[in-house]
C-alpha cells in the first residue's frame, strides 16, 4: 500500500519580492514498508517537502496523497484530522511542552484525538518504556538530555500509531552519540513496521 504519493509537486515562495522555487516538480511514491531518507544541502527543499506531506503547507502545483487521501482542497480542520489519524512528526528542536511532565507530553496527542485518558496513558507508558524513558515519566522535559528529549519527541509522535512518521532533521540538535542513538531507534521502529520519511 502507498502511504504517501507526491505528484508533480511544486512550491514557490515570495521572498523580498522575488520568487523562490523550493520544489520544482517532485514525484515520490512511498510504500508502508519503507524508510526513506531525503538528503541534500541546506535550502534544497527537504523541510518544505515534509511540511507539504504533513499538510502544514500547501503546494503551488501538484497533489499530495497520504494513506489514500488527497490533501488538495482540505480545510484546516480536515488537515488536522488527517494529521491525527496518519502523521507523526519529529522536529529538529523537539517542540516539547515544558509545562507538562514527560508522560503528559506523550499522552496529550492521543487525548486530543479522542482516546480515553487511561488508554492514552497506557500507550504512553509502553512507548516510554520502549524508548528507555520509563523512569522519567514524572520529570519535566527540561531536565532531560538532548538525546532523551528527542526520544521523548519520538514517543509523542508515535502516540497515535501514525501511518507515516515524518522526521525533519531529527539529529540536527544532537551530538554525534545522540544522533547515532536516534538513527538506531528509527531502524528499530522501521523493523517493527513503521514507515518513516
Amino acid at each position: 500500500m502507498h502511504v504517501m504519493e507526491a505528484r508533480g509537486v511544486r512550491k514557490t515562495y515570495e521572498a523580498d519580492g522575488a520568487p523562490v522555487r523550493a520544489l520544482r516538480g517532485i514525484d515520490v511514491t512511498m510504500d508502508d514498508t519503507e524508510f526513506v531518507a531525503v538528503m541534500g544541502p541546506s535550502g534544497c527543499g527537504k523541510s518544505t517537502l515534509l511540511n507539504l506531506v504533513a499538510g502544514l503547507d500547501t503546494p503551488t502545483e501538484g497533489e499530495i496523497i497520504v494513506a489514500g487521501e488527497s490533501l488538495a482542497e482540505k480545510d484546516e480542520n480536515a488537515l488536522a484530522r488527517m494529521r491525527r489519524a496518519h502523521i507523526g512528526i519529529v522536529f529538529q528542536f523537539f517542540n516539547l511542552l515544558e509545562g507538562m511532565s514527560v508522560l503528559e507530553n506523550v499522552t496529550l496527542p492521543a487525548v486530543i484525538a479522542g482516546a480515553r485518558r487511561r488508554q492514552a496513558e497506557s500507550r504512553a507508558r509502553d512507548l516510554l518504556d520502549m524508548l528507555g524513558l520509563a523512569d522519567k515519566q514524572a520529570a519535566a522535559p527540561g531536565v532531560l538530555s538532548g538525546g532523551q528529549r528527542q526520544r521523548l519527541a519520538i514517543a509523542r509522535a508515535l502516540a497515535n500509531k501514525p501511518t507515516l512518521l515524518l522526521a525533519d532533521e531529527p539529529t540536527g540538535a544532537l551530538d554525534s552519540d545522540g544522533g547515532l542513538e536516534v538513527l538506531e531507534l528509527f531502524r528499530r521502529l522501521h523493523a517493527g513496521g513503521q514507515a518513516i520519511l
Side-chain angles (χ1 to χ4, degrees):
M1 174 187 127
H2 296 326
V3 293
M4 188 275 290
E5 296 176 71
R7 301 173 179 169
V9 172
R10 297 177 182 272
K11 183 65 182 180
T12 303
Y13 296 101
E14 288 291 324
D16 299 324
V20 176
R21 292 174 183 85
L23 297 175
R24 303 177 186 209
I26 299 293
D27 292 298
V28 180
T29 300
M30 187 174 164
D31 290 334
D32 60 0
T33 58
E34 289 191 281
F35 183 164
V36 175
V38 179
M39 299 170 65
S42 181
C44 76
K46 302 182 300 292
S47 292
T48 298
L49 176 62
L50 290 182
N51 285 336
L52 294 174
V53 171
L56 296 171
D57 199 356
T58 55
T60 307
E61 290 179 33
E63 182 180 31
I64 294 176
I65 299 165
V66 174
E69 235 178 290
S70 175
L71 305 191
E73 299 179 19
K74 283 191 183 298
D75 65 18
E76 284 302 313
N77 288 335
L79 289 170
R81 284 192 297 273
M82 181 280 300
R83 276 191 294 277
R84 285 196 298 266
H86 297 295
I87 299 288
I89 308 173
V90 181
F91 298 97
Q92 179 176 356
F93 296 109
F94 320 129
N95 289 12
L96 300 168
L97 298 168
E98 300 296 340
M100 296 183 142
S101 71
V102 164
L103 181 65
E104 289 166 336
N105 263 272
V106 183
T107 301
L108 184 63
V111 170
I112 289 172
R116 290 196 173 99
R117 178 163 291 279
R118 186 174 293 171
Q119 289 175 314
E121 285 184 355
S122 176
R123 167 99 174 134
R125 285 191 182 93
D126 288 346
L127 287 166
L128 291 171
D129 186 46
M130 179 180 81
L131 300 181
L133 294 171
D135 61 335
K136 305 290 186 190
Q137 291 179 37
V143 306
L144 304 179
S145 70
Q148 289 172 327
R149 287 166 68 84
Q150 194 57 294
R151 281 187 274 144
L152 173 55
I154 293 166
R156 183 188 56 195
L158 295 171
N160 287 337
K161 302 181 182 177
T163 308
L164 178 60
L165 181 65
L166 302 176
D168 190 4
E169 297 197 37
T171 62
L174 305 176
D175 61 21
S176 58
D177 286 347
L180 289 172
E181 176 186 314
V182 166
L183 291 176
E184 177 56 34
L185 173 56
F186 282 146
R187 277 192 283 272
R188 279 181 20 225
L189 290 170
H190 177 245
Q194 180 66 60
I196 304 171
L197 175 61

